[in-house]
Amino acid sequence: MPPARSKYDPARGAVEGPRDLSRLLRPKSIAVVGGGAWCQQVVRQSLGMGFEGDIFRIHPRPDPVEGVAAVPSLSDLPYPPDAVFLGVNRHATLDAVAALSAMGAGGAVCFASGFSEAAAEDASGSGLQSDLIAAAGEMPILGPNCYGFVNALDGALLWPDQHGCAPVERGVAILTQSSNIAINLTMQQRGLPIAFAITCGNMAQTGQAEIALALLNDPRITAIGLHVEGFGDTFLWHALALKAHARGIPLVALKVGASEQARQATVSHTASLAGSDAGADALLRHLGIARVHDLPTFLETLMLLHCNGPLEAPTLSSISCSGGEASLVADTAEGHAVSFPPLTEAQRKALSSVLGPMVALSNPLDYNTYIWGNVDKMTRAWLPMAAAHIGLVLIVLDYPHTDARAWEGATQAAIAVRRESGRPVAVVTTLPELLQADVTAQLQVAGVTPLRGLREAIAAAAAAAQIGKPKAAPPLGVAPEGATEVISEAAAKARLQQHGVAVPRGAVTRRETLAEQATLLTAPLVLKAEGLAHKSEAGAVKLGLTQDALPRAAQGMAGDRFLVEEMVQGAVAELLVGVTRDAAHGYVLTLAAGGVLTELLQDRVSLLLPASAQDVMAALRSLRLYPVLEGYRGAAAAYIPAILQTIMAVQDYVIADAAYLHEIEINPLICTPDHAVAADALISRRIGPIEGETNDGPG
């Protein structure tokens, strides 16, 4: 069986036996161990934010910091503290964590470095990390190599450096492994209320998903942003996604990097199509988590989610008083998963009644400047753009920093459109700096989303429309690491055929019995040399042969074992169906235009397994090749049900062989008007039994 992972109830999204992080993240008492500048800053930060609980210092010298004197040791504290900042070296950190766990403290932030993140330079780092986990026991710890967190809701800051947060009553939470990125994000001046900024360090014990699960219990959190370097336990992420969806708290991820496992060389084209980034993308879609690719978009998406929540649809209306801006909006949206639906007849009629015959009506809309400053006319002109089928209305307004008083009417009109339509409305600046703080606050209070930067606003809208319900089933667990082997094509096809994949009639034979073994087959025939992963490149495939031509065709091929098959005819199109073991994310199914042009066409889509038939059909329809499968310009159509049945059969095999499977590739899957046949198949599997099991697998 695949390795065990976290256990939870999918119906409730509840993890079995999670650590209680409430005392650590929402403490009523704070202790700081150490006396350096970092530790002194923690005291100052919490006092400066108005923390109302007890603050203790533990240091041999009792000299007070901000009026807080120190006690010599943890044993001198009057009671076990809720949250502890450990600003001491890594060896002293181990002793302190053990003492805190024994006394019943709520949790600790481990600031010290030199653990597993430094193992390449210091071989003792990994061992120290194991010792740290053992010392903590059930007590939660953040880090090591971690700055800690800012809780701007309760004024609790286990944070040793500068930050840009201010007290808030509700807001978003941001989680990142990078302390420096966390600092920078807190310094944003976009008016985004940050309730929590949490750094996770190297996540020795407590990872991002577990921290985010704990934050979902706080009704003051409006959205959670995750800067992700690696996912870890995907079962736990699935539990997070389920619970977040149930609580109505949207998640957005900025996923960076690529796992080393997914970059390892593999024997098929599938690996190049479905590497770690495709796996990460597929996992996030499986979880219903929006993905963005840069920090400004990350912040703007959080702003949109905080003010409005996820969008009902990726349909946009754009309103501006400039034709240049209207064109710029349309061009900026190119390449993003959003659209500007044409105006309906009802919209046109309503717009004409206000704007008259001199204004060209379209979406994006240039409403002309002659109604500028007239709040009533602007409101009536903009309201039709906030139709029920529109996911978000973008009102393009750049506020000059010299004198913006003339823009107050536009602000009031935007607020009126939001109030009267009840639809999501955003005021968008083409340049990020052209929206002042007082206007931002005014818009937010009225329920209008302030968005800075046209590119970021469009990307944020696309992301907010991605957020959806997580798949009910968690990602499929993958086979453990180990040496792999490629089984023969005939054996691969036999395994897949047992699960419902159609394969050509054929026979495996030696060189001297080629013609004899092929007598029961119907020409034209295909001859393949066994034992090669890429037969076409090696000249080990011959097509369109008769029985008599087989011996001569085999003369130029290496080896003594051959696969002879009936040639599949009547192809409408060729597909690639591949599954790659991505250790960081799960089994990734890739569908692509197949045959020898797979890499050239670059027409592909990836899903995380398990996937439903509906998901697979949606993926197929997203391929540029799909119109050919449907019968392009009167040509014959492929039999789509057979294609779908084949893909689902491949998934059935993956589920059955998940303890050993490394990779599958069917290329091509020949799609005809009647059938879908795997003309070539490759399977790579782990060598050796697992814990006493045989390596026979599902076949």
Side-chain angles (χ1 to χ4, degrees):
M1 295 296 293
R5 297 186 286 176
S6 301
K7 297 180 180 179
Y8 68 97
D9 179 353
R12 297 185 299 113
V15 178
E16 182 181 290
R19 279 176 285 269
D20 182 3
L21 305 184
S22 59
R23 289 176 63 196
L24 173 60
L25 297 179
R26 292 176 286 274
K28 292 182 172 56
S29 59
I30 294 172
V32 181
V33 180
W38 303 107
C39 296
Q40 295 177 29
Q41 187 78 332
V42 172
V43 175
R44 295 189 183 99
Q45 299 283 24
S46 289
L47 290 172
M49 190 73 87
F51 181 68
E52 296 179 352
D54 292 332
I55 299 178
F56 304 107
R57 294 181 53 242
I58 296 88
H59 192 265
R61 293 193 298 273
D63 305 340
V65 172
E66 301 295 324
V68 180
V71 296
S73 69
L74 289 169
S75 61
D76 294 312
L77 294 175
Y79 59 85
D82 289 332
V84 183
F85 183 87
L86 298 175
V88 292
N89 67 54
R90 57 183 180 166
H91 298 288
T93 294
L94 288 175
D95 295 336
V97 165
L100 289 167
S101 179
M103 70 190 296
V109 169
C110 300
F111 180 60
S113 59
F115 291 85
S116 66
E117 81 284 351
E121 296 79 25
D122 183 352
S124 67
S126 295
L128 286 172
Q129 179 137 321
S130 298
D131 293 342
L132 178 65
I133 296 169
E138 291 302 310
M139 183 186 75
I141 56 173
L142 298 184
N145 190 27
C146 170
Y147 258 35
F149 64 87
V150 174
N151 174 348
L153 296 167
D154 306 305
L157 286 78
L158 275 73
W159 190 261
D161 205 336
Q162 297 184 62
H163 67 86
C165 293
V168 297
E169 294 183 358
R170 58 191 294 273
V172 304
I174 294 176
L175 281 67
T176 172
Q177 281 182 258
S178 169
S179 299
N180 196 59
I181 286 179
I183 293 173
N184 296 339
L185 288 172
T186 69
M187 296 293 177
Q188 58 86 28
Q189 297 185 44
R190 298 162 183 255
L192 176 66
I194 298 177
F196 275 94
I198 303 177
T199 63
C200 310
N202 71 21
M203 301 188 295
Q205 178 215 63
T206 309
Q208 282 180 309
E210 188 172 356
I211 298 168
L213 271 166
L215 292 174
L216 294 177
N217 297 322
D218 194 325
R220 300 170 294 177
I221 302 296
T222 58
I224 298 178
L226 301 141
H227 170 242
V228 183
E229 295 179 20
F231 287 99
D233 187 342
T234 54
F235 268 31
L236 202 58
W237 281 88
H238 186 245
L240 167 64
L242 287 174
K243 185 174 179 180
H245 183 264
R247 296 286 176 91
I249 300 178
L251 307 175
V252 57
L254 171 57
K255 174 65 178 71
V256 297
S259 70
E260 182 63 30
Q261 295 93 330
R263 291 198 302 266
Q264 290 174 355
T266 54
V267 294
S268 80
H269 301 307
T270 308
S272 64
L273 296 175
S276 64
D277 193 63
D281 214 49
L283 175 60
L284 289 168
R285 290 198 308 272
H286 193 90
L287 300 177
I289 299 175
R291 184 181 187 184
V292 297
H293 298 277
D294 58 76
L295 290 172
T297 303
F298 184 65
L299 289 171
E300 294 307 305
T301 304
L302 284 170
M303 177 69 85
L304 181 54
L305 295 175
H306 169 76
C307 294
N308 180 82
L311 299 184
E312 296 174 2
T315 49
L316 307 179
S317 285
S318 173
I319 304 167
S320 64
C321 65
S322 161
E325 286 175 343
S327 299
L328 190 61
V329 170
D331 284 351
T332 303
E334 279 293 308
H336 292 281
V338 294
S339 65
F340 294 92
L343 298 175
T344 66
E345 190 56 39
Q347 286 177 303
R348 286 183 172 277
K349 184 176 180 180
L351 287 167
S352 294
S353 68
V354 182
L355 298 177
M358 300 301 293
V359 175
L361 303 181
S362 63
N363 182 25
L365 174 69
D366 167 18
Y367 60 87
N368 217 303
T369 56
Y370 79 90
I371 64 170
W372 178 259
N374 187 320
V375 176
D376 178 64
K377 282 192 174 183
M378 284 194 292
T379 301
R380 289 193 292 117
W382 297 353
L383 263 174
M385 303 300 286
H389 65 284
I390 297 299
L392 180 65
V393 179
L394 304 178
I395 300 176
V396 181
L397 292 171
D398 285 287
Y399 293 80
H401 59 77
T402 48
D403 183 357
R405 285 175 292 181
W407 272 250
E408 176 60 23
T411 302
Q412 291 303 320
I415 291 171
V417 171
R418 167 63 176 166
R419 182 180 62 250
E420 295 183 31
S421 71
R423 302 299 297 161
V425 175
V427 165
V428 180
T429 62
T430 60
L431 297 176
E433 58 267 32
L434 297 183
L435 185 56
Q436 287 76 33
D438 59 335
V439 179
T440 295
Q442 184 182 9
L443 293 170
Q444 285 179 312
V445 169
V448 177
T449 303
L451 294 175
R452 286 168 167 78
L454 192 53
R455 185 181 65 83
E456 291 87 347
I458 296 287
Q466 289 175 22
I467 296 171
K469 185 177 181 180
K471 305 304 179 187
L476 187 63
V478 299
E481 293 284 354
T484 61
E485 64 178 352
V486 178
I487 65 176
S488 72
E489 180 180 344
K493 286 179 173 175
R495 286 174 176 268
L496 292 170
Q497 188 177 33
Q498 290 179 1
H499 289 265
V501 176
V503 301
R505 291 181 64 217
V508 177
T509 179
R510 294 191 177 278
R511 187 182 296 271
E512 59 270 18
T513 58
L514 268 171
E516 177 185 346
Q517 290 292 324
T519 56
L520 298 179
L521 303 178
T522 302
L525 302 175
V526 179
L527 178 65
K528 303 179 182 181
E530 284 274 77
L532 296 174
H534 297 297
K535 299 180 180 66
S536 297
E537 290 89 333
V541 178
K542 300 289 179 65
L543 306 175
L545 304 174
T546 64
Q547 283 86 348
D548 295 339
L550 289 172
R552 182 177 181 84
Q555 287 180 2
M557 296 184 183
D560 191 49
R561 284 177 60 83
F562 297 88
L563 175 61
V564 185
E565 293 180 326
E566 294 178 348
M567 190 169 170
V568 183
Q569 301 184 78
V572 172
E574 296 181 347
L575 286 174
L576 178 148
V577 180
V579 177
T580 303
R581 174 194 178 277
D582 186 332
H585 310 112
Y587 282 110
V588 181
L589 168 69
T590 296
L591 308 176
V596 296
L597 299 179
T598 292
E599 289 91 344
L600 180 64
L601 295 177
Q602 292 292 301
D603 181 17
R604 63 185 183 270
V605 63
S606 295
L607 299 172
L608 202 66
L609 298 183
S612 68
Q614 292 80 5
D615 292 333
V616 172
M617 274 307 307
L620 279 172
R621 291 190 183 101
S622 72
L623 293 174
R624 296 193 301 276
L625 182 70
Y626 190 75
V628 176
L629 296 176
E630 284 193 310
Y632 187 63
R633 292 191 172 182
Y639 188 45
I640 304 294
I643 298 172
L644 178 61
Q645 190 275 334
T646 299
I647 297 168
M648 300 310 292
V650 169
Q651 175 171 264
D652 289 345
Y653 174 78
V654 174
I655 293 171
D657 199 26
Y660 293 96
L661 183 68
H662 189 79
E663 186 175 3
I664 294 176
E665 181 178 281
I666 296 173
N667 188 22
L669 177 71
I670 297 181
C671 307
T672 79
D674 305 304
H675 307 287
V677 183
D680 197 358
L682 175 151
I683 293 179
S684 172
R685 300 179 76 237
R686 187 179 184 275
I687 300 171
I690 300 173
E691 296 182 359
E693 294 182 9
T694 66
N695 196 18
D696 295 333

